[in-house]
Amino acid sequence: MNPSDDVIEVRNLVYHVGGRAILDGISFSVCRGCIFGVMGMSGTGKSTLLKCLMGLLRAESGEVIVDGDIVTGVAEQELARVRSKMGMCFQYAALFDSLTVAENVAFGLKRHTHLPPDEISLRVADALAHVRLRDIDNLMPAQLSGGMRKRVGIARALVIEPMIMLYDEPSAGLDPITAAVLDDLILSLAREHGMTCVIVTHEVRELFSLCDSVMMLHEGRIVALDTPDRLKRSPDPIVEQFVEGRPIGPIAV
Ligand SMILES: Nc1ncnc2c1ncn2[C@@H]1O[C@H](COP(=O)(O)OP(=O)(O)OP(=O)(O)O)[C@@H](O)[C@H]1O
Ligand SMILES: [Mg+2]
């Protein structure tokens, strides 16, 4: 594959928390328009990795390059341009509690564009419709169910029309039907609009049905990076235990 087809490149990324290497020399790349999955036990650093991709956390060494722009080691003010290429759907939605739903979704547009208010309203309505939310514009986050908050978080990320979406546990806390609607949305954004996606989830079935390739992190390292088909048949006992959800095996809980 032509290297320019890689829209995200991560080289030797290292990140410590409390003296422990959460990411211990991670290298991978994600090709344009691909859906790339990340799986691993709770606490293995999946959310940390997504935050490093956005430049929200600063890796101690290694490089993250997004669409040709370097994220690691650059000053905060230089990150705005590369961040505008990425939409992040946070694990716990991370809405602004004092803003209405519509204000939350409009936040990035108001901050980073000079669009007229009418255009902003249209885009907000469109983003909310994408995640099947209607007539909740004036509600406050505290008035929403967990699943609704999650979907508002996704709408807020989508509204800036990013070339890359980073989803941290997109379907956690959603009922199975809404989760399936969301999976269809992720798939159509990638397949019809060429949006590159990185999805972190514990839902192995969801990862395997959506992703072109899936990486498994364990103890700071990549233990597997392959297509879902090959991972399903992986003889690696760590991968096998995780994929099959077995309580007994090399991964001790
Ligand atoms: N702000 C922080 N302060 C201290 N430790 C942190 C902080 N953020 C993350 N950690 C630690 O870093 C490790 C990785 O956390 P991270 O949230 O990236 O894991 P994760 O793989 O996303 O887990 P989960 O599947 O439960 O969401 C954990 O051991 C966590 O305790
Ligand atoms: Mg997490």
Side-chain angles (χ1 to χ4, degrees):
M1 180 176 295
N2 183 334
S4 65
D5 287 343
D6 290 334
V7 73
I8 301 175
E9 289 177 66
V10 175
R11 296 182 195 139
N12 267 319
L13 203 68
V14 175
Y15 189 87
H16 286 79
V17 173
R20 183 165 69 99
I22 300 299
L23 305 173
D24 193 7
I26 300 290
S27 302
F28 64 93
S29 52
V30 181
C31 66
R32 204 173 291 275
C34 284
I35 306 182
F36 184 87
V38 184
M39 65 183 191
M41 294 292 285
S42 192
T44 45
K46 304 179 297 296
S47 298
T48 303
L49 174 64
L50 289 191
K51 288 174 190 163
C52 288
L53 296 185
M54 280 286 272
L56 297 172
L57 287 176
R58 298 309 190 107
E60 288 128 46
S61 62
E63 281 185 323
V64 173
I65 298 164
V66 172
D67 192 37
D69 286 329
I70 186 135
V71 174
T72 32
V74 299
E76 184 67 27
Q77 58 269 32
E78 288 173 45
L79 282 175
R81 196 170 75 101
V82 64
R83 276 202 193 129
S84 69
K85 297 177 184 180
M86 291 181 271
M88 172 88 153
C89 157
F90 288 92
Q91 185 165 4
Y92 300 107
L95 302 180
F96 300 108
D97 288 336
S98 59
L99 301 182
T100 65
V101 165
E103 288 165 344
N104 261 286
V105 177
F107 189 82
L109 287 179
K110 285 188 179 157
R111 195 162 198 191
H112 299 296
T113 71
H114 300 288
L115 291 172
D118 283 2
E119 176 66 21
I120 289 184
S121 300
L122 278 176
R123 291 237 203 144
V124 166
D126 195 42
L128 286 168
H130 260 316
V131 292
R132 305 285 205 272
L133 288 174
R134 284 183 187 85
D135 304 323
I136 62 157
D137 295 36
N138 295 318
L139 295 186
M140 302 305 286
Q143 296 172 287
L144 305 177
S145 72
M148 288 164 96
R149 291 170 71 94
K150 192 97 206 178
R151 284 184 285 158
V152 172
I154 293 170
R156 186 179 59 181
L158 278 178
V159 80
I160 62 163
E161 299 178 352
M163 69 187 307
I164 300 164
M165 272 290 282
L166 308 175
Y167 298 95
D168 199 349
E169 304 281 357
S171 54
L174 298 183
D175 61 82
I177 295 172
T178 309
V181 166
L182 207 62
D183 284 352
D184 282 350
L185 173 68
I186 293 170
L187 208 55
S188 77
L189 288 170
R191 301 293 180 247
E192 288 155 33
H193 302 275
M195 191 181 272
T196 308
C197 299
V198 180
I199 305 180
V200 163
T201 173
H202 292 114
E203 300 291 329
V204 174
R205 227 174 44 176
E206 181 185 30
L207 273 185
F208 284 3
S209 71
L210 282 180
C211 295
D212 299 298
S213 52
V214 176
M215 171 170 86
M216 179 170 174
L217 294 178
H218 186 62
E219 295 180 344
R221 302 265 181 184
I222 297 172
V223 290
L225 200 178
D226 217 328
T227 60
D229 270 354
R230 282 202 286 261
L231 282 179
K232 275 181 213 162
R233 288 180 275 116
S234 171
D236 182 327
I238 294 178
V239 178
E240 224 179 0
Q241 184 189 355
F242 189 86
V243 168
E244 292 180 14
R246 287 203 215 108
I248 310 290
I251 306 176
V253 182

